[in-house]
Amino acid sequence: MPKTAYINNKYVNFKNAKIHIEDRGLQFADSVYEVIAVLNGNLIDLDFHLKRLRYSLAELDIKYKFYHNDLKKIFLKLLNKNNTLNGIIYLQVTRGVQYREHKYEDKITPTLIIYTRNKKFNLPGKNFKGVNTVTHEDLRWKRRDIKTVNLLPNIIAANKAKKMKAYEAILLKNGKVTEGTSSNIWIIKKNNLITHPANTDILKGVTRTSILKIIKKTSLKLVEKSFTHKQLLDADEVFLTSSGSFITPILKIDKKKINNGKIGNITLKLAEMYTKSCMNG
Ligand code: PDD
């Protein structure tokens, strides 16, 4: 358990870190968040995370203003206090505390919550693992591009995965793959690397954005186009990406093995390239 959290301008004991019962984050999921990976003390893709945070806040009209460097200083201080060298930073901004009413007041002060957790990541090397997945209907609302804590449909699908002893659930909308419950999904077919376009149907992953840059250094052809459940099962290789999982190979989807249940060469190469770029800061 971490020692320290940061709530509304104060470093507090993690065990006693509390927010008010009328916080709108609690009552309405009126709240946005970010999960930032920390690898060897490096804050991975911080600029992209803070850019997406500004986007989520603006889309929901949550009036939290911040300076990049102020947040970075808090992150570094918390990592230090919690002895986190490898792990994640969790940040959440709620609209704030107000008497319970669906409509919000204009002058409400947002609640800021930040803490860190140690985590061992799945990185290429001798312990690099592939995972099993299941599929599940995508039950979410129409603004999946906003990173809100409104995550019940994700949680239902993730727990189906847990029950089936799988790592992640891949979400299907009208027979097409959108993304995972907390990851983006990619397939490789011949020389094509295919992933869902970054529109309102998915969260534009920060890891996804970084990988798009890396692909330019390879001979792979990027196709940002939605793909079907059948294309998913027929793919040569499949992998998922997120700040918590980096690039993680998918070896099985429901009952179907991918690449004979082995980590594919292209996935491995991309994972190596991405990890190297993270290590170099
Ligand atoms: N989830 N899609 C969804 C629905 C997600 O929740 C996430 C991340 C991603 C990948 O985004 P990124 O590469 O920026 O982490 C895609 C975080 C890790 C979470 O909720 O814990």
Side-chain angles (χ1 to χ4, degrees), residues 92-132:
Q92 188 177 331
V93 183
T94 85
R95 195 180 301 278
V97 178
Q98 176 197 307
Y99 61 93
R100 189 180 179 282
E101 154 77 275
H102 287 63
K103 300 172 198 95
Y104 54 86
E105 295 285 324
D106 278 342
K107 289 222 166 80
I108 180 167
T109 308
T111 302
L112 173 64
I113 300 164
I114 312 173
Y115 62 96
T116 73
R117 280 260 178 212
N118 292 344
K119 182 172 171 147
K120 212 167 171 281
F121 294 111
N122 182 33
L123 301 176
K126 69 174 182 345
N127 295 321
F128 192 40
K129 274 204 305 277
V131 297
N132 295 343

Side-chain angles (χ1 to χ4, degrees), residues 33-35 49 52 140 144 147 151 154 179-184 202-208 241-244:
Y33 77 109
E34 282 296 324
V35 174
H49 281 286
R52 187 173 62 190
R140 298 173 299 164
R144 303 156 185 161
K147 196 161 172 66
L151 290 170
N154 309 53
E179 58 185 331
T181 68
S182 58
S183 61
N184 292 117
I202 66 159
L203 183 77
K204 184 179 176 185
V206 160
T207 322
R208 178 188 184 282
T241 58
S242 78
S243 300

Side-chain angles (χ1 to χ4, degrees), residues 5 15 45 136 194 203-204 214 242 248 250:
K15 269 197 217 154
D45 297 328
H136 193 278
I194 312 170
L203 183 77
K204 184 179 176 185
I214 284 174
S242 78
T248 291
I250 293 178

